[in-house]
Amino acid sequence: MFDPHAPSISAHKFEFPPDCGNPEVAILVCPKIKRPSQYRVLMLNDDYTPMDFVVHVLAYIFHKSTEEAITLMLQVHHQGQVMCGVYPYEIAETKVAQVTALAREEQHPLRCTMEKKS
């Protein structure tokens, strides 16, 4: 027999339809889940980081194709910044940290930031 009050299902709420007549029939009502806020990861231009390193970072960390990475590298070079992707907070934060760590390891001043998507 189905037990709607079982402890393993405590995160959900059960409602019993009125005039059902069958005590074993219940409707599972799931709580509404709010979508996480999204954040843009922006790469900033500098005059010292080699263009091939920027292409490598875009391909390695942001999983861009070579063609797309080259296009984005040229955009950041000419426009001062480029959006690398949109992610939930924790993923965006990780991407920024990965870019920073890789740039430091290679002794480049490349920087990334994140901003909340409006």
Side-chain angles (χ1 to χ4, degrees), residues 53-71:
F53 180 75
V54 174
V55 171
H56 169 72
V57 167
L58 289 164
Y60 181 70
I61 294 177
F62 296 99
H63 307 288
K64 304 296 183 187
S65 68
T66 302
E67 295 78 22
E68 190 176 7
I70 290 170
T71 300

Side-chain angles (χ1 to χ4, degrees), residues 9-75:
I9 312 177
S10 61
H12 300 291
K13 177 181 172 188
F14 287 90
E15 293 180 358
F16 294 90
D19 303 322
C20 174
N22 187 345
E24 293 184 19
V25 174
I27 300 171
L28 175 63
V29 180
C30 296
K32 292 190 180 197
I33 299 173
K34 183 180 173 186
R35 295 189 73 89
S37 297
Q38 298 291 299
Y39 289 79
R40 292 183 186 96
V41 176
L42 305 172
M43 183 174 285
L44 307 177
N45 186 43
D46 65 72
D47 294 332
Y48 304 101
T49 304
M51 292 181 178
D52 61 332
F53 180 75
V54 174
V55 171
H56 169 72
V57 167
L58 289 164
Y60 181 70
I61 294 177
F62 296 99
H63 307 288
K64 304 296 183 187
S65 68
T66 302
E67 295 78 22
E68 190 176 7
I70 290 170
T71 300
L72 292 172
M73 176 273 298
L74 291 172
Q75 285 179 352

Side-chain angles (χ1 to χ4, degrees), residues 39-41 87-100 112-114:
Y39 289 79
R40 292 183 186 96
V41 176
Y87 308 96
Y89 181 83
E90 291 81 7
I91 295 173
E93 185 178 47
T94 300
K95 298 282 186 189
V96 170
Q98 288 174 330
V99 170
T100 302
C112 257
T113 62
M114 57 188 265

